[in-house]
Amino acid sequence: MARHNSCDDDTFPYNHEYYALLRFKENERFYHYQFQARSPQLPFRQDLIKNLKQLNDKLGLSLSTFHLAVHLLDIFMDCHEIDQQQLMLAGSTCLLIAAKYVDVDSNVPKFSHLQSLTNHHNSIHEFSLMEKMLLNFWKWDLNFSTSLDFLEHYLSCDLLKCAEGLHSNSFKNLKCQAVYLANLTLTEVNFIYFKSSVIAASCILVARLQFRLLPTWPEGMEILTGYSYLEIDECVQLLIHLAQITQSECFFNPALQQQSSILIREESKVECKYKLKGVSNHNCARTKRRHLIHPRDLKQMYRLTDCAM
C-alpha cells in the first residue's frame, strides 16, 4: 500500500487529491507568472491591504475571501500602472470578485454596498467596468492557491504532527497564532516571492517555535508539507523578523501576540479573541471552493447573477 500522511479522512475523504490540486495550481501560477515588483504603487500597498482588511471585516466576509482578494490584487498591480486614486477601487473590486468565488452567496456584497462603504468615491458603473477588466485580465480563471488554503489543509491533518503534547485549547491557540502569522505576511511585499505552500509551512514552524515545541520541525511535518527545514528556512527567518518588529502593533492578533513566546502545555485560561470562523474547513459551508471552476462556467455564473448585482 502507498504511504500517505494521516489526515482526518472522516472529515474530508479527498484530502490527498485536494492537496495535489492546491500544489498543481500553485506550480501552474509560478510557471506562467513571476512577481517582478513593477508596480509604481508598491509603497502604498501596505496601507491598501489594511484598508481592505477593514472593508472585509465590515462586510463580514471570510478570511479565505480576503486572502484570495490580496493574491489577485498583487498580480494585477504588478502588471498595471494604477493611478493612486484608483487603488481602492481595484482592491475593493478584487474583494468583491473573491467573495463571489469563495464566500457564501448571502455574504456577497452589491456594488451599491461597496460604494457606500468606500465613501462614494466611485460610481457603480466604475465598479462594474473594473470588475470586467479584472476578470478579462485573469481570463476568467480564479483558481489560485493561497497560503490560507494550504494552512487550513495542514492544520486539518493529524493534530499530533502539528502540536504534540498540547491540550485542545492550547492547540486552538497554536492554530490561531499560525493564522495570525499568515495574515501578517499579506502586509509585507517580500512574501509574494515565496510559494503559498512555503509560507503556510513557515507559519506553522514559527508558531511551533513560539510555543517551544520540540522537535521544531518533526519528520511528520516534512511528510505532510513536502518541505524540509532547510527548504523553508529563508521564509521562516523573514517571518520571524516581521513578527518581531510588528509585536507592538498587534495588527491581526493582539491576544496571542502577547503570549506568543510562552510555553503552553496546559489548558489556556486566556480566551483567544481572534475568531477562526473565517478559516474554512472541509466540512464547513463557510466557503464553497473545493474544486476547480472552469472559466467558461464562471462566465455563465456571472450572466445569471449580473442583473442582481
Side-chain angles (χ1 to χ4, degrees):
M1 295 181 65
R3 184 184 183 186
H4 63 276
N5 53 47
S6 52
C7 298
D8 187 358
D9 292 330
D10 292 334
T11 303
F12 186 64
Y14 304 106
N15 261 311
H16 313 299
E17 291 82 358
Y18 176 65
Y19 185 61
L21 174 62
L22 290 179
R23 292 298 296 266
F24 170 78
K25 296 306 298 182
E26 177 185 54
N27 292 331
E28 186 178 55
R29 179 259 187 184
F30 263 75
Y31 177 79
H32 292 292
Y33 174 78
Q34 289 289 333
F35 185 72
Q36 302 293 328
R38 294 170 293 194
S39 174
Q41 304 300 339
L42 212 55
F44 305 100
R45 180 185 177 277
Q46 187 175 51
D47 289 336
L48 176 61
I49 299 303
K50 290 184 178 182
N51 290 334
L52 284 182
K53 180 61 171 64
Q54 294 174 357
L55 182 60
N56 187 86
D57 292 343
K58 288 180 180 178
L59 292 169
L61 300 175
S62 68
L63 274 179
S64 298
T65 298
F66 177 59
H67 274 250
L68 179 59
V70 174
H71 193 82
L72 297 174
L73 179 62
D74 282 333
I75 297 175
F76 185 74
M77 285 180 60
D78 198 44
C79 297
H80 296 82
E81 293 187 9
I82 308 174
D83 185 81
Q84 186 177 350
Q85 303 299 322
Q86 300 299 317
L87 278 178
M88 194 59 191
L89 172 63
S92 56
T93 307
C94 283
L95 196 62
L96 170 67
I97 294 173
K100 288 183 177 181
Y101 191 70
V102 175
D103 227 302
V104 293
D105 295 336
S106 59
N107 286 346
V108 177
K110 294 185 177 182
F111 287 137
S112 57
H113 194 187
L114 275 181
Q115 185 187 35
S116 64
L117 290 177
T118 54
N119 298 321
H120 296 270
H121 285 161
N122 300 99
S123 66
I124 293 178
H125 181 62
E126 287 176 313
F127 275 108
S128 180
L129 287 178
M130 178 59 73
E131 183 183 35
K132 290 181 174 62
M133 180 188 301
L134 290 167
L135 289 169
N136 286 328
F137 167 71
W138 295 309
K139 299 179 181 179
W140 295 76
D141 185 0
L142 304 181
N143 297 298
F144 294 99
S145 301
T146 69
S147 57
L148 192 66
D149 291 328
F150 284 102
L151 185 59
E152 73 174 8
H153 172 77
Y154 295 154
L155 292 175
S156 70
C157 296
D158 198 348
L159 182 148
L160 293 179
K161 286 183 179 178
C162 296
E164 303 88 343
L166 289 179
H167 293 279
S168 58
N169 284 350
S170 298
F171 178 65
K172 289 179 182 178
N173 284 347
L174 178 68
K175 291 172 61 178
C176 195
Q177 183 65 14
V179 175
Y180 161 74
L181 292 170
N183 286 332
L184 199 61
T185 63
L186 297 181
T187 65
E188 175 55 55
V189 68
N190 290 328
F191 285 96
I192 303 177
Y193 297 101
F194 295 101
K195 287 186 175 183
S196 298
S197 56
V198 171
I199 295 175
S202 300
C203 290
I204 294 179
L205 193 152
V206 174
R208 290 176 60 87
L209 281 173
Q210 292 174 323
F211 280 73
R212 302 181 187 176
L213 296 178
L214 296 175
T216 304
W217 196 243
E219 182 183 0
M221 288 306 301
E222 289 192 18
I223 295 175
L224 178 62
T225 64
Y227 293 112
S228 67
Y229 190 104
L230 291 178
E231 288 176 307
I232 61 176
D233 180 64
E234 183 181 358
C235 185
V236 167
Q237 297 305 320
L238 185 62
L239 182 55
I240 290 175
H241 176 70
L242 180 62
Q244 288 173 340
I245 65 176
T246 55
Q247 277 187 352
S248 59
E249 295 182 11
C250 301
F251 175 42
F252 281 98
N253 190 11
L256 285 184
Q257 191 64 20
Q258 295 172 0
Q259 59 177 6
S260 60
S261 62
I262 300 176
L263 175 63
I264 301 178
R265 291 286 182 176
E266 58 186 20
E267 293 291 339
S268 174
K269 297 181 180 179
V270 180
E271 180 183 359
C272 175
K273 297 180 181 179
Y274 186 71
K275 303 303 181 184
L276 292 178
K277 71 174 184 177
V279 184
S280 63
N281 52 49
H282 299 301
N283 64 346
C284 179
R286 180 67 182 175
T287 57
K288 57 193 176 187
R289 187 182 69 164
R290 290 277 81 90
H291 58 278
L292 293 179
I293 298 180
H294 194 278
R296 178 187 62 251
D297 299 327
L298 185 62
K299 286 185 179 181
Q300 181 62 27
M301 290 166 60
Y302 262 79
R303 293 192 186 100
L304 294 175
T305 60
D306 187 55
C307 59
M309 302 305 295

